[in-house]
Amino acid sequence: MDAQVQNAIEIAWNPTSDQNLKAQAFDFLNQLREDDSAWQVCLSIFGRTPRASEVVRHVALEIANHAVEKGQMGDQSLAFLKDNLMEYIRRIYGPRGNKEELDTITIQNKLTQTVTYLFKRLYATTWTSFFDDFLSLTVGEGSSASNNAPGVFLYLRVINSVHDEIADVLVPRTLEEQRKDNDLKDLVRERDVEKVVRSWQQILTEWQERDAGAVDLCLRAIGRWVNWIDISLVVNEDLLNILFQLVGYARTVSSNLAEDNVRDAAIDTFTEIVGKKMKPADKINMIVYLNVGNVITQLIASPPLHDLRATSNYDTDLAEAVARLANSTAFDIIKALDSDSLDGQASQQANELLQTFLPYVLRFFSDEYDEICSTVIPSLTDLLTFLRKEAKTKGALAPEFAAMLSPILNAIIVKTKYDETSSWGSEDEQTDEAEFQELRKRLQILQQAVAAVDETLYIDMISNVVGTTFENYQRGNGQLNWRDLDLALHEMFLFGDLVVRSGGLYSKTKPISTAAERLVGMMLKMVESDIASFQHPAIQLQYMEICVRYCSFFEHHTSFVPRVLENFVRLIHHNHIKVRTRSWYLFHRFTKHLRAQIGNVVQTVIEAVSDLLPIRAELPQEGSEEENMSSDENDQSADATFSSQLYLYEAIGCICSTSAVPVDKQVLYVRSVLNPLFTDLEAHLDPARNGDERAKLQIHHVIMALGTLARGFSDWSPGNTSSSSSGPANEVSEEFTRAAEAILVALESLNSSSEIRTAARFTFSRLVGVLGARILAQLPRWIDGLLSQSSTKDEMAMFLRLLDQVVYGFKTEIFQILDTLLTPLLQRVFVGISEPTTGTDDEIQLAELKREFLNFLLIILNNELASVLVSTTNQHIFENVISLIELFVKDITDYPTAKLAFSILIRMSMVWGGPDTTPLSLNSSPPPPSKPPSEAALPGFDRFMLTRFSPLCWVLPTTPGFNAKDAQAKQVLAEAASLQKTIYSKRGQEYLTWLRDVELRGMGMAEGTAEEYLRALSSLDLKGFRQFFQAFVQRSGG
């Protein structure tokens, strides 16, 4: 058996093995793992002499390990395994062990894990000597000192592993597992913890000058165990003296990596000791006793952190370790101060400690390295939260607390600045730039926290930083470090958060708050100092961002608009791609908000922008990175550039359409933009028909540009009757009619291209706003083009959504056109719904198409257009519509669609069912339409409701797999109940008779149950019957 197991392991882990053999080997080993007796064979393989290969021994030990972990072994087997492993361990790792026979680290780790699992099973009962057994390995032959290296290392690995197994708070455990682990910890504390702590001291003393690895491993054990043992065992003079000596390695500049690791581990151990959970008063006393402040002071003054701080040899690992210590201690001090359990003396001590530790926290917060800065942000956040609570509770901060805010805010502001080694916009530093921007977001939260504690201080300090920087810029005739100017502009941009919370910039003609007043002053200085001319892309971009964010400033200072607009026009031509493309979006935002102030310079602006309007479509190179680039603000792909270019077209539409521009001028400006696009479209149409992909992409871009120009020209939408939103003048609409015609020509030629259909659909929705009812005459052509044979379900659903908008907006003009196009439109939708699905995405698109089809019917029914469904032209397709709806209400796999389908049936019944003969509800009226139906009752529909609609209410609940307790299913049942109430309101006693004599009897419902049901239908209001029907179906086993 041994040979068979060994052979299987070797085959499974041999990369050159035949794959079939390898699969058989893994199957065999997996079966072996579940065999309760397999561990015996594996134990034999692991411990035999001569040794098997390492992989064989490792896998064999893993199988035995698995048996212990999963509880496959009884007490006798566990004892046998323990005895055999300890015999092996003593032979190899004991004082008389042969170092040449030591296992590899991999085997030692697996051995440690197995021993730990045995500890969990046996320590409480039969292996009470666990720690003594391993401690005995550490003592050298003929000695009382812990000087046997193999035994020391194994012992330390074991006690670290024991902690990880029973005390690591990051490991998820069930309540039962937690209870067992807590019992084990109690036993360890009761039996062995004192000897374990003494062993640490002995090992540190013995190995401090001999082996940094042993010291490092021992320190990590102390740091782990200290969280769940009595702190007084660790906080003793002897152990602390050793710890302080090891921390003292930082006082010299070392080239010894091992010493550095020991030093950092000692500091981390010290941090764990300080972070030990205890009562607030005890924690303050311990921080004082350990003299943590003095330790940090000495570490900060040590050469690696002080003398080398500004050099490339600065010890960042040490700095981060000390920062963790400062952060942890400050956190505990703040937590103690925030508690209610401190007496006067302890509170005074904590207050003094906070005064001591804040400079330490700010020292590391201000560190050049962002990782070190981030280490202390948690304690700084907690401090500001505490100060805010103090200010709110007591009305004002105590002077010693108030004095903390200024240095904190100043440190935040300084840290927000780009450091001297950084650059902006370099492709080589994109990762560093992204990380710095993430840090800025965290710093922004800290600034907001300061503002929440003392808004006046925040306003004054930010105003001073910004104002002083602008003054220095003016005095230096534009000569200033770009980083200083960027900081001022960044702070100015963030300052707006406070202004927004105050209600904006202005109330009528005056600033609304002190913050708003200061911001207005900053804006005046920024514009007057002509910062836009500073030749650095980061500054120019910040300038535009600020102008856009505070557009309302220019509404009250209109004299600045021409100057700022001139700067924008210059910057949209910037040679830096990131600035140029972002500026196109910002230019659009600026001009859209201030178009009323730009009317007199429209022609100048259009002429200045015209060189940026020509579209040059570029196909992505196959296999290029561009195909995989994200669409975020750093995306500089051709597609992203075009997306930004569209903002220019929308901006032109915005400034052309202002009332300050005469209609004849609007027409002239629109033509100046449209005509080049028409020429471009015509030039590429033939190549696109012949399969030129770049020509197709060019046409796609041109169509998108036409739609975006239209959107800029009018944000009016059908059905919007507000006076502030109206369509353009007729003369302008005529120009866009030409655009629609050009697009339709292209669409009719290229409607097999999904990209062209996508662009045309985008533009169609925008043209509705500028063409109004004119677009109705073209609607059949749009439908033919957009719903081609190759259109996806998703495309059909999106187009139906657009048609909803058109029908709603032009319901008084659309009847004749809708009557003509409805049948071909629905036939295409029917085909799309009937096509088989080929995957999850296809199923999602099908569900969306179903819902959009039903929503389209609802729009028709709710807008007095129901007669179009049963007109002479469309009557032949009405039966197909009803059949499809019937299919939907039966589908238990799609409850939302079933619910919507019932809504259609309810609406049809309301519209065509004739006048109400019985109240729908005793206490409420039905929820139908905003207007009473004006449609005439449809002859024969009264009977249709009884024979076709009513039985559908029972089809879904009686379908196998229907769960009446499902939340969505309940909603469907509520709609089914509403349909029955609607039919009852129309037919009254006739419906009750039908149910009693035909429908319910046909279902086999008992007479008494049927009478109960009919009483509920006739007597309960709508809400009551909905609840009754849901309960009735559940009671009936639905």
Side-chain angles (χ1 to χ4, degrees):
M1 183 68 172
D2 289 19
Q4 187 180 3
V5 172
Q6 180 172 340
N7 191 38
I9 296 172
E10 289 174 343
I11 291 172
W13 267 267
N14 186 342
T16 63
S17 297
D18 178 78
Q19 291 301 312
N20 291 328
L21 275 178
K22 184 174 284 195
Q24 293 175 28
F26 274 117
D27 288 341
F28 172 77
L29 293 173
N30 286 332
Q31 293 172 14
L32 197 67
R33 281 169 62 86
E34 305 308 319
D35 187 335
D36 292 348
S37 61
W39 64 270
Q40 300 176 42
V41 176
C42 293
L43 178 64
S44 171
I45 293 173
F46 172 76
R48 77 178 180 208
T49 304
R51 288 180 174 179
S53 67
E54 180 169 351
V55 68
V56 169
R57 298 183 72 229
H58 187 277
V59 174
L61 187 56
E62 162 57 27
I63 292 173
N65 182 59
H66 177 78
V68 179
E69 182 189 14
K70 298 302 178 184
Q72 296 174 349
M73 302 167 63
D75 291 344
Q76 287 185 336
S77 297
L78 288 170
F80 180 82
L81 177 61
K82 183 262 290 185
D83 291 343
N84 275 268
L85 285 181
M86 287 307 299
E87 180 185 348
Y88 171 82
I89 288 170
R90 290 189 185 97
R91 176 162 50 86
I92 302 299
Y93 296 92
R96 298 180 180 180
N98 183 352
K99 290 185 179 181
E100 300 299 323
E101 295 183 334
L102 286 177
D103 297 310
T104 64
I105 297 299
T106 303
I107 296 292
Q108 287 187 43
N109 289 337
K110 182 56 64 178
L111 185 61
T112 298
Q113 186 183 44
T114 307
V115 166
T116 304
Y117 288 152
L118 287 169
F119 163 84
K120 286 192 70 174
R121 296 291 302 277
L122 300 175
Y123 179 70
T125 54
T126 59
W127 199 2
T128 57
S129 62
F130 176 85
F131 291 101
D132 291 321
D133 290 346
F134 282 94
L135 272 170
S136 66
L137 301 174
T138 66
V139 180
E141 187 174 12
S143 169
S144 60
S146 300
N147 56 7
N148 176 38
V152 168
F153 275 94
L154 184 64
Y155 166 70
L156 292 174
R157 283 196 178 90
V158 167
I159 62 171
N160 275 295
S161 179
V162 165
H163 162 84
D164 293 344
E165 186 62 30
I166 69 172
D168 190 339
V169 295
L170 298 179
V171 175
R173 296 177 174 86
T174 65
L175 289 176
E176 179 61 19
E177 288 171 341
Q178 187 64 59
R179 184 191 64 77
K180 290 180 179 179
D181 289 346
N182 288 340
D183 290 345
L184 279 175
K185 287 190 287 186
D186 289 340
L187 280 174
V188 172
R189 285 188 283 252
E190 179 185 331
R191 295 174 180 171
D192 294 307
V193 72
E194 291 185 13
K195 68 181 70 168
V196 171
V197 173
R198 283 197 301 273
S199 74
W200 295 337
Q201 187 173 324
Q202 292 165 1
I203 290 170
L204 290 176
T205 301
E206 181 68 30
W207 293 90
Q208 184 176 352
E209 304 296 334
R210 293 175 57 187
D211 193 311
V215 176
D216 180 75
L217 205 54
C218 185
L219 289 172
R220 298 194 186 284
I222 298 172
R224 285 178 164 97
W225 281 55
V226 75
N227 287 301
W228 56 279
I229 65 175
D230 186 349
I231 191 65
S232 63
L233 295 172
V234 177
V235 181
N236 64 72
E237 187 173 348
D238 293 336
L239 191 55
L240 288 177
N241 283 339
I242 297 173
L243 201 57
F244 288 141
Q245 289 176 28
L246 298 174
V247 170
Y249 282 169
R251 294 171 192 160
T252 59
V253 178
S254 169
S255 59
N256 188 323
L257 182 60
E259 282 190 3
D260 289 348
N261 290 338
V262 166
R263 173 205 65 197
D264 295 345
I267 296 171
D268 287 340
T269 303
F270 201 64
T271 302
E272 293 294 339
I273 293 171
V274 174
K276 166 79 173 177
K277 289 183 179 179
M278 58 184 70
K279 294 178 180 178
D282 294 340
K283 175 57 65 76
I284 296 301
N285 289 333
M286 188 178 74
I287 293 172
V288 172
Y289 174 76
L290 294 175
N291 203 1
V292 182
N294 186 51
V295 172
I296 295 178
T297 299
Q298 292 182 29
L299 288 168
I300 290 174
S302 66
L305 296 189
H306 183 268
D307 299 354
L308 303 179
R309 182 174 180 182
T311 72
S312 59
N313 293 322
Y314 180 54
D315 195 332
T316 55
D317 290 338
L318 174 61
E320 199 165 347
V322 182
R324 283 195 294 271
L325 175 58
N327 180 74
S328 176
T329 311
F331 169 81
D332 285 330
I333 295 168
I334 296 162
K335 186 177 179 182
L337 280 170
D338 198 27
S339 71
D340 299 324
S341 61
L342 290 184
D343 58 27
Q345 182 179 356
S347 180
Q348 180 62 31
Q349 275 187 313
N351 200 334
E352 291 172 358
L353 284 172
L354 183 59
Q355 302 292 328
T356 300
F357 272 82
L358 179 60
Y360 302 151
V361 171
L362 293 181
R363 151 65 180 86
F364 292 107
F365 178 79
S366 305
D367 198 280
E368 177 185 353
Y369 290 88
D370 295 343
E371 298 84 354
I372 297 168
C373 166
S374 298
T375 303
V376 295
I377 286 180
S379 61
L380 208 51
T381 303
D382 290 335
L383 174 58
L384 291 171
T385 302
F386 167 71
L387 295 179
R388 183 180 184 182
K389 182 178 177 183
E390 281 285 297
K392 185 176 181 179
T393 304
K394 299 180 179 177
L397 285 176
E400 63 271 21
F401 289 150
M404 296 178 176
L405 290 173
S406 182
I408 290 174
L409 181 55
N410 185 62
I412 295 170
I413 294 170
V414 171
K415 189 61 188 174
T416 304
K417 180 181 173 182
Y418 279 94
D419 63 52
E420 295 300 322
T421 62
S422 62
S423 60
W424 185 95
S426 170
E427 290 187 9
D428 296 335
E429 298 189 12
Q430 283 189 6
T431 301
D432 292 342
E433 171 72 14
E435 290 174 352
F436 179 63
Q437 293 306 326
E438 282 301 312
L439 177 62
R440 273 189 161 182
K441 291 176 183 177
R442 299 180 70 186
L443 297 175
Q444 177 186 353
I445 293 171
L446 290 176
Q447 281 196 178
Q448 291 171 341
V450 173
V453 179
D454 191 338
E455 186 174 296
T456 302
L457 173 71
Y458 174 77
I459 291 172
D460 289 342
M461 287 190 68
I462 298 300
S463 300
N464 183 57
V465 168
V466 175
T468 302
T469 304
F470 288 167
E471 288 171 8
N472 291 340
Y473 176 74
Q474 286 180 303
R475 276 201 300 266
N477 294 320
Q479 299 301 311
L480 193 69
N481 189 315
W482 71 269
R483 298 172 182 83
D484 294 322
L485 205 46
D486 172 81
L487 174 63
L489 293 174
H490 178 74
E491 292 295 348
M492 187 175 167
F493 186 87
L494 298 184
F495 194 79
D497 294 339
L498 184 61
V499 175
V500 169
R501 287 201 302 272
S502 302
L505 265 180
Y506 289 96
S507 175
K508 296 183 179 179
T509 59
K510 294 183 179 180
I512 199 169
S513 62
T514 302
E517 185 177 349
R518 295 291 184 89
L519 184 56
V520 169
M522 295 180 206
M523 287 295 294
L524 286 169
K525 286 185 178 180
M526 184 189 78
V527 178
E528 290 171 347
S529 60
D530 195 26
I531 283 173
S533 63
F534 190 87
Q535 294 302 306
H536 191 281
I539 306 306
Q540 293 162 335
L541 196 52
Q542 283 269 40
Y543 169 85
M544 290 185 286
E545 297 277 6
I546 289 170
C547 288
V548 168
R549 184 170 199 191
Y550 307 128
C551 266
S552 57
F553 166 84
F554 296 102
E555 293 176 347
H556 295 79
H557 297 82
T558 55
S559 61
F560 290 129
V561 172
R563 181 194 303 186
V564 175
L565 189 59
E566 183 180 345
N567 289 329
F568 266 89
V569 169
R570 175 171 53 83
L571 293 173
I572 62 177
H573 291 84
H574 204 283
N575 57 6
H576 194 292
I577 182 66
K578 182 177 178 181
V579 177
R580 186 167 67 251
T581 53
R582 177 66 178 170
S583 69
W584 294 346
Y585 165 73
L586 296 172
F587 175 70
H588 154 251
R589 289 279 309 278
F590 186 77
T591 53
K592 182 175 182 179
H593 193 90
L594 296 172
R595 55 182 165 184
Q597 284 78 33
I598 300 175
N600 58 336
V601 292
V602 170
Q603 184 171 354
T604 305
V605 173
I606 293 177
E607 290 173 353
V609 174
S610 61
D611 62 315
L612 298 174
L613 297 180
I615 295 169
R616 298 177 182 86
E618 295 179 25
L619 291 172
Q621 297 297 316
E622 187 174 353
S624 69
E625 292 183 5
E626 188 175 292
E627 289 182 299
N628 299 317
M629 290 186 85
S630 65
S631 57
D632 62 20
E633 63 182 23
N634 292 320
D635 190 349
Q636 297 171 11
S637 64
D639 187 54
T641 301
F642 170 68
S643 296
S644 298
Q645 190 178 18
L646 288 177
Y647 288 116
L648 295 176
Y649 281 94
E650 187 168 351
I652 289 175
C654 286
I655 61 177
C656 286
S657 60
T658 176
S659 58
V661 180
V663 173
D664 61 328
K665 291 290 187 182
Q666 290 186 26
V667 172
L668 181 65
Y669 300 151
V670 170
R671 283 179 182 167
S672 70
V673 179
L674 288 179
N675 287 340
L677 293 175
F678 294 158
T679 303
D680 200 358
L681 198 64
E682 185 178 4
H684 287 86
L685 196 53
D686 282 340
R689 286 194 191 105
N690 295 326
D692 187 327
E693 291 300 322
R694 202 204 72 81
K696 283 184 185 177
L697 187 60
Q698 183 74 15
I699 290 175
H700 165 277
H701 286 9
V702 170
I703 293 174
M704 295 283 287
L706 290 169
T708 307
L709 178 68
R711 178 168 61 183
F713 221 96
S714 174
D715 55 6
W716 176 80
S717 58
N720 188 342
T721 57
S722 66
S723 58
S724 61
S725 180
S726 60
N730 290 335
E731 295 88 337
V732 176
S733 293
E734 286 297 332
E735 296 302 317
F736 281 104
T737 301
R738 293 170 56 219
E741 181 63 32
I743 294 168
L744 283 169
V745 169
L747 181 60
E748 287 163 351
S749 299
L750 302 168
N751 72 345
S752 60
S753 167
S754 63
E755 291 81 6
I756 299 299
R757 294 197 304 271
T758 298
R761 186 172 58 250
F762 168 89
T763 301
F764 172 80
S765 66
R766 275 75 182 170
L767 286 174
V768 171
V770 290
L771 295 183
R774 287 179 179 82
I775 203 167
L776 297 181
Q778 298 175 331
L779 201 52
R781 294 173 65 193
W782 282 104
I783 291 174
D784 284 339
L786 292 173
L787 297 184
S788 72
Q789 297 301 318
S790 53
S791 293
T792 64
K793 298 178 181 67
D794 198 35
E795 287 182 76
M796 293 182 189
M798 286 190 284
F799 188 66
L800 284 174
R801 204 174 302 135
L802 288 177
L803 281 184
D804 290 347
Q805 181 187 25
V806 174
V807 171
Y808 174 74
F810 303 112
K811 53 191 171 187
T812 58
E813 299 107 322
I814 201 173
F815 184 89
Q816 293 300 327
I817 294 172
L818 189 60
D819 188 45
T820 303
L821 62 81
L822 186 64
T823 291
L825 170 66
L826 293 184
Q827 285 174 336
R828 295 189 189 190
V829 173
F830 293 160
V831 171
I833 290 174
S834 64
E835 289 175 351
T837 56
T838 56
T840 303
D841 289 344
D842 214 19
E843 290 173 359
I844 293 171
Q845 289 183 12
L846 175 60
E848 187 66 20
L849 178 57
K850 290 177 181 178
R851 286 192 280 273
E852 289 305 329
F853 162 68
L854 294 174
N855 277 321
F856 179 65
L857 294 180
L858 267 181
I859 289 290
I860 291 174
L861 291 165
N862 285 336
N863 286 280
E864 303 177 13
L865 294 167
S867 57
V868 78
L869 292 170
V870 291
S871 69
T872 305
T873 309
N874 301 305
Q875 197 167 27
H876 67 284
I877 205 171
F878 183 68
E879 175 61 31
N880 293 342
V881 172
I882 295 298
S883 298
L884 199 55
I885 295 172
E886 289 176 335
L887 187 65
F888 293 163
V889 300
K890 302 174 185 177
D891 188 358
I892 64 169
T893 65
D894 189 356
Y895 288 134
T897 300
K899 177 186 174 186
L900 194 54
F902 271 117
S903 299
I904 298 287
L905 299 179
I906 293 169
R907 190 73 191 108
M908 285 181 173
S909 300
M910 287 179 172
V911 172
W912 290 321
D916 289 354
T917 60
T918 307
L920 178 66
S921 168
L922 297 178
N923 303 313
S924 61
S925 55
S930 50
K931 290 184 178 180
S934 60
E935 305 279 349
L938 196 63
F941 197 78
D942 52 350
R943 194 69 182 169
F944 195 80
M945 290 189 295
L946 302 184
T947 59
R948 294 288 293 273
F949 287 5
S950 181
L952 293 173
C953 300
W954 299 100
V955 172
L956 190 69
T958 56
T959 301
F962 177 79
N963 179 11
K965 296 180 180 179
D966 181 271
Q968 288 186 320
K970 286 182 177 180
Q971 294 178 357
V972 180
L973 290 177
E975 289 299 295
S978 298
L979 175 59
Q980 295 175 79
K981 286 294 287 184
T982 302
I983 298 173
Y984 174 68
S985 73
K986 299 296 181 183
R987 308 314 304 161
Q989 185 60 43
E990 179 189 356
Y991 184 41
L992 297 180
T993 302
W994 165 268
L995 286 171
R996 179 188 297 109
D997 298 342
V998 180
E999 195 168 311
L1000 300 183
R1001 182 173 296 172
M1003 292 166 52
M1005 188 178 292
E1007 185 175 341
T1009 305
E1011 289 300 326
E1012 175 196 1
Y1013 188 84
L1014 295 175
R1015 279 196 305 273
L1017 176 60
S1018 59
S1019 62
L1020 295 176
D1021 64 8
L1022 181 60
K1023 181 179 179 182
F1025 184 68
R1026 281 181 165 187
Q1027 294 172 343
F1028 170 83
F1029 187 64
Q1030 290 170 342
F1032 187 85
V1033 171
Q1034 287 187 36
R1035 192 177 73 196
S1036 303

